[in-house]
Amino acid sequence: MKSFFYDDYSDGAHNDVLKQLIDHNEEPQLGYGKDEYTEKAARRIAEVVGGNPSIYFISGGTQANLTILSHMLKSHEAVIASDCAHINNHEAGALEATGHKLVSVPTKAGKMNPQDVERIISQHDEYMVKPRVLEITQATEQGTIYSKAELKALIDVAKKHGMLVYLDGARLAHALTAQKADLTITDLPKLGVDAFYIGGTKNGALCGEAVVIVNPEIATDFTYSIRQHGGILAKGRLIGLQFMGLFENDLWLNLAKHANDMAAALSEGAVDSGLELTYPTDINQVFVTLTPAQVERLNVKYGFHVIEKIDDRRHVARLVCSWATTENQIRELIADMGSL
Amino acid sequence: MKSFFYDDYSDGAHNDVLKQLIDHNEEPQLGYGKDEYTEKAARRIAEVVGGNPSIYFISGGTQANLTILSHMLKSHEAVIASDCAHINNHEAGALEATGHKLVSVPTKAGKMNPQDVERIISQHDEYMVKPRVLEITQATEQGTIYSKAELKALIDVAKKHGMLVYLDGARLAHALTAQKADLTITDLPKLGVDAFYIGGTKNGALCGEAVVIVNPEIATDFTYSIRQHGGILAKGRLIGLQFMGLFENDLWLNLAKHANDMAAALSEGAVDSGLELTYPTDINQVFVTLTPAQVERLNVKYGFHVIEKIDDRRHVARLVCSWATTENQIRELIADMGSL
Amino acid sequence: MKSFFYDDYSDGAHNDVLKQLIDHNEEPQLGYGKDEYTEKAARRIAEVVGGNPSIYFISGGTQANLTILSHMLKSHEAVIASDCAHINNHEAGALEATGHKLVSVPTKAGKMNPQDVERIISQHDEYMVKPRVLEITQATEQGTIYSKAELKALIDVAKKHGMLVYLDGARLAHALTAQKADLTITDLPKLGVDAFYIGGTKNGALCGEAVVIVNPEIATDFTYSIRQHGGILAKGRLIGLQFMGLFENDLWLNLAKHANDMAAALSEGAVDSGLELTYPTDINQVFVTLTPAQVERLNVKYGFHVIEKIDDRRHVARLVCSWATTENQIRELIADMGSL
Amino acid sequence: MKSFFYDDYSDGAHNDVLKQLIDHNEEPQLGYGKDEYTEKAARRIAEVVGGNPSIYFISGGTQANLTILSHMLKSHEAVIASDCAHINNHEAGALEATGHKLVSVPTKAGKMNPQDVERIISQHDEYMVKPRVLEITQATEQGTIYSKAELKALIDVAKKHGMLVYLDGARLAHALTAQKADLTITDLPKLGVDAFYIGGTKNGALCGEAVVIVNPEIATDFTYSIRQHGGILAKGRLIGLQFMGLFENDLWLNLAKHANDMAAALSEGAVDSGLELTYPTDINQVFVTLTPAQVERLNVKYGFHVIEKIDDRRHVARLVCSWATTENQIRELIADMGSL
């Protein structure tokens, strides 16, 4: 079998997460997230974030994005987000299906800058949609992270225009544990983020994301929206238990850090082998620009996606590390990169 | 702790289902349902249903209903469904949020009759929505089942009007294993059901429903719709593995039959105790009409929901048995009913 | 040609309305309702209603209903309305297409009662949609009107539950000028109506409805919603000018009163001829229960719709009078009714 | 009063259009477009287009766009359209409010090229929306037109990918009568356009657009969609009569040609005055790049919109001519341009 670098959701659950499911499997619990484990996990996450936010659990990332955003918006309001935002490209029109336009902002290595956001918001008049939510992905879809100052600058533009801020945190743990990170989770409410989610699926859980709503006006009636879009599990315990596991002994941070470390080693190895990084490696994803022949050769032993073809000579390979990636896998891949 | 009769999703997973998750936890697999277990489970279900249907897995029942129905409909088309349909009452407007009206049909003990369906469809003209899908719940929300002949009569009305038929099978296994059942799963395609789902959540899984699309026109592009509504899990294996477990050695049928048997015993015991059944007990749910005082007394030791208050004297209690309900629980509850 | 009793939108415009279009046809004006006539008509209507409401013009009744209601609602919120509401039956699912469920209330002669409204709102829990707007049609679709006390009782139920109130006033002028009316337009804001519209199309205009938003929170951003649903005309003057005409010298009230008077005479004549009224005749519509043979005989000379077939013997004919209906038409029809 | 160059919907109706409304005002007619004038206008337009299309009338341009597009699409399908498309920018998210994403294509002077369309369609995979309709605006929002060969090339890309083609013809008459036009209306069905509309509002009518559906599959049930979105007028005669007027003696083409001629003279005058055209002047709109000071000076006597600010020195003024623009107005404006 190939060594897997496809993504960070190829493996099952981390053992400490699975153990929760096994240990509590035979206890009857109330449905729809009213079980004691969901409540315990919610309390724990609220403590970690600080500032008394409301916590909810949703089955997956697209569900989280579409439910939170549509709940934040009135029918004529729109989302401003990056041109490479997952919700813009890879969720099959999930946001628009709830009736809302997404206006995209150009990016460099996955990141928006405040000037572009300002310009695009300012171009809107009464004949257009009304920009209402700025969505920021942290870490970005291209494996980079915003510094605290960069986040602040983006959020300040939104706030200046009376907008709300939503942060897609599918890989938030990876952003917080990146080597160059200067951000902690308690910063998010302080910076003005109104709602965000902490990804579980890409960080050791079988499924599930933890939604954190900082702004109490958004929390009003939010359970109706979760239910309406089918994001709640009847056996809510499935997600509650997994987040209980993830938030014990900082497991969520440790798993992400491991994935980052593996990617950092791989990135360094790729550069040493003379390969070109497409984007800087901030978190657990390494983007390398390869020739089609190089892709073909690597593909024999390694599983990964080519996510863009810049031209006939330059194809962008995405190599993703996860909590389950081993040093051996990295060493072997680097060795094979050396002989490309 | 109270003895649980709240619902059939209070417990964790059946051991044979959980075992699949544990046994295959450490194998890397492709994401989004392209793993080998999902494919194996899909093949197995297709064999069981017969006639070469397309199989998909979706995270929950509301998700399944809203995704299948909205995929079957054009924007001006509507669903005809029973007035007590789950999608009509208990999914927070999930269908309407996808843009479609539900026109309701009166029921008796949860069941529609063909005359009412015919009348309601016929009342529609060009100024109204266009009825396009007849939704039938089998077993119904009030714990009853349609006989094969009754199903055929309903489906024939729909087909006569050029409509499609969708069956909400959250408790399909219970309907198939009911004592008075004369229906097998292979009958569904033959009767003209275009799409249905086989519930996992209420029958021993932690989450997940298996969608069966019989009509190939509906299967076209269906994965786009699943993704758009966020019903697909990145770790699709979570559902695939569980259905692999459920469809080994007829586990899904055996679990449902056990739940039905427990309910049958309970129902009989209730009648022997002089209590009045609100609806006949066909499957795993017993509806009993109690006084508020009786409710209060039973509630001390038993957990259950009062789902309707007919008047000040008559409250409807729903007592649900599951694959995990024990004979001891039933015996004890019957004994306490006797002394009400 | 048949004598027309089909509806109240069979004729062109009243001459005083058409004259406005002709007189000002050659003046250039700003588009999208920023012309001076639209502004003048808006000011005039605001004065007539009192209490400083915001006024908007929308091209038609379905447009008005769907735009106002969807603007009042968040995604998980629903409308409570009568089972014979136009928006429930004859707008092809317009409300649901904006993502919202309508929960219907039974009616008698087109009217809801507060007990039913209370009961239906109270049945809603967190698993269902959230009732947010009570829609009342005045006059009703079955030609009856609510008294001021009846309106107050309905509105009070809504307010008690923290809901908003919207009034569909396609035939509001007819309700206000009905013989038994005890309501003036200045009562509506005082009673707690948050938004309503004054119908133009069915009362002498070629098109157009005047939307009155009493509650300033609903007025916020309302122009975005009008535009999004295409209810604004580029040549907004078309509607503005017509409403200028309608609100000069109480034309809108006089036209409706004429239509009511014609219907009152017709209704009396029908009863004198031994025919049975299906509903009381409060405004400009007369509902008569006829045999199929009687329908056929009347149909030779008179154009009207059979709107319901109670059974094989009893068909409900709707005979609508308008501002353009003449006494001669009425006299002739009564005479022919006498010889049925 | 300023001389109006704001847009082509500042005036009332052309006299021959208004005359139809006046002449037939007193005849009773069936509602909802079943009147004889609507039917006559529809037959006439079908003859002019050729090939037996279905004709419908809708109240305005946004209505036409949103109704046709949403009727053409299933829920997971998207529109490919130019980045300056009216539906993309100036309809307040009308398309997205029906649940569909618009994917934009870069333009030069308002026009897309087939290579970009091909590239963008090809980038779509199963994780994204499914491109289903290519929308082309003819004439474009920047006052340019596609040649027949250019249209063919765009349409061929769409057809190669199994897509449908919709043409927004708000100013179709202007495109057909442009000096450099090589296209006739009968070409549209032959080139593969599946549906389009012929604008009335911007070409001499008070309101109304004529929708032409070439592809019979799209025509199925289209009246349901018109009604659902409120685009039908109860007094359908209002639009039918106006289009009867527009299609008598080629009035629609003559009015557009006049507007184009006025703009051509103005464009030439601007160039002669040393001003820079932002885009070539193909139809009735002249785009001139001015300094803010020049804008201010012209604004004293002339009404027009600045539609873009390229930078502090270069503002784009849009000067629109209409069927009602006079040679005197043009002469005067040119003279004043000369002294800027």
Side-chain angles (χ1 to χ4, degrees), chain B residues 24-336:
Chain B
H24 301 284
N25 189 55
E26 305 206 349
E27 304 164 13
Q29 289 286 337
L30 292 178
Y32 289 116
K34 299 191 172 169
D35 62 282
E36 58 189 286
Y37 306 114
T38 296
E39 288 177 3
K40 197 168 159 188
R43 272 199 307 276
R44 177 72 190 123
I45 293 173
E47 275 168 29
V48 167
V49 174
N52 208 23
S54 301
I55 310 297
Y56 308 85
F57 296 99
I58 285 186
S59 55
T62 295
Q63 271 292 322
N65 283 336
L66 77 86
T67 305
I68 301 168
L69 286 170
S70 68
H71 189 78
M72 289 172 95
L73 298 168
K74 293 198 64 177
S75 54
H76 59 290
E77 295 175 339
V79 174
I80 307 291
S82 92
D83 56 8
C84 60
H86 204 262
I87 186 108
N88 190 28
N89 296 316
H90 292 104
E91 302 185 359
L95 177 67
E96 291 83 1
T98 69
H100 301 284
K101 191 178 187 72
L102 182 149
V103 181
S104 69
V105 177
T107 52
K108 202 169 155 184
K111 292 160 72 176
M112 306 181 282
N113 71 56
Q115 292 73 35
D116 286 330
V117 173
E118 172 70 46
R119 176 178 51 80
I120 284 168
I121 295 172
S122 299
Q123 280 166 356
H124 280 76
D125 62 27
E126 61 174 320
Y127 297 81
M128 305 170 81
V129 287
K130 183 169 184 177
R132 175 64 174 150
V133 173
L134 175 64
E135 194 211 69
I136 303 170
T137 315
Q138 171 82 323
T140 76
E141 288 78 4
Q142 300 184 350
T144 52
I145 63 170
Y146 292 101
S147 70
K148 194 166 159 179
E150 286 170 336
L151 271 187
K152 184 176 184 322
L154 288 173
I155 293 170
D156 286 354
V157 172
K159 297 292 166 175
K160 175 184 147 198
H161 288 277
M163 291 172 61
L164 299 168
V165 173
Y166 166 62
L167 191 141
D168 177 340
R171 293 189 184 91
L172 181 57
H174 302 83
L176 296 173
T177 57
Q179 211 173 321
K180 70 178 229 200
D182 63 353
L183 187 80
T184 64
I185 197 162
T186 56
D187 291 330
L188 295 181
K190 292 173 194 159
L191 286 168
V193 173
D194 294 283
F196 62 98
Y197 83 85
I198 304 170
T201 303
K202 291 170 177 165
N203 196 26
L206 288 168
C207 69
E209 327 294 330
V211 176
V212 180
I213 299 193
V214 175
N215 182 332
E217 280 183 34
I218 300 169
T220 303
D221 287 345
F222 187 61
T223 49
Y224 285 91
S225 284
I226 300 180
R227 195 175 297 276
Q228 183 178 73
H229 295 293
I232 201 167
L233 296 181
K235 294 189 183 172
R237 65 199 286 154
L238 169 57
I239 308 181
L241 280 164
Q242 292 184 90
F243 271 91
M244 240 177 63
L246 284 173
F247 275 77
E248 228 162 66
N249 303 317
D250 290 335
L251 182 64
W252 69 299
L253 295 174
N254 296 336
L255 295 184
K257 185 166 186 320
H258 173 83
N260 289 347
D261 288 347
M262 294 298 101
L266 176 57
S267 181
E268 205 174 317
V271 172
D272 289 349
S273 306
L275 298 179
E276 183 199 347
L277 298 181
T278 323
Y279 310 117
T281 306
D282 287 353
I283 54 160
N284 67 325
Q285 308 192 36
V286 181
F287 293 83
V288 191
T289 310
L290 300 174
T291 63
Q294 290 174 323
V295 166
E296 199 179 341
R297 247 172 299 150
L298 271 189
N299 244 339
V300 177
K301 284 173 61 184
Y302 305 94
F304 58 89
H305 294 292
V306 169
I307 57 143
E308 199 192 337
K309 301 183 176 178
I310 303 174
D311 55 34
D312 283 357
R313 292 283 307 151
R314 295 179 298 164
H315 290 190
V316 179
R318 190 187 65 171
L319 302 157
V320 186
C321 301
S322 82
W323 59 271
T325 304
T326 63
E327 290 185 19
N328 269 344
Q329 282 180 289
I330 298 297
R331 212 168 313 146
E332 203 183 328
L333 174 49
I334 291 176
D336 284 326

Side-chain angles (χ1 to χ4, degrees), chain A residues 34 126-127 130 227, chain C residues 34 126-127 130 221 227:
Chain A
K34 300 194 170 165
E126 62 173 321
Y127 296 81
K130 183 169 186 178
R227 196 175 294 277
Chain C
K34 299 192 171 169
E126 61 174 322
Y127 297 81
K130 184 169 184 178
D221 287 345
R227 194 175 296 276

Side-chain angles (χ1 to χ4, degrees), chain C residues 25-64:
Chain C
N25 188 56
E26 304 207 349
E27 303 165 12
Q29 290 286 337
L30 291 178
Y32 290 115
K34 299 192 171 169
D35 62 282
E36 58 188 284
Y37 305 114
T38 295
E39 287 177 4
K40 196 168 160 187
R43 272 200 307 277
R44 178 71 190 122
I45 293 172
E47 276 169 29
V48 167
V49 174
N52 207 22
S54 301
I55 311 296
Y56 309 85
F57 298 99
I58 286 186
S59 54
T62 295
Q63 270 292 319

Side-chain angles (χ1 to χ4, degrees), chain C residues 10 13 25 63 205 229 235 237, chain D residues 10 25 63 205 229 235 237:
Chain C
S10 295
N25 188 56
Q63 270 292 319
H229 295 293
K235 294 190 182 172
R237 65 200 285 154
Chain D
S10 294
N25 188 55
Q63 271 292 319
H229 294 292
K235 294 189 182 171
R237 64 198 287 154

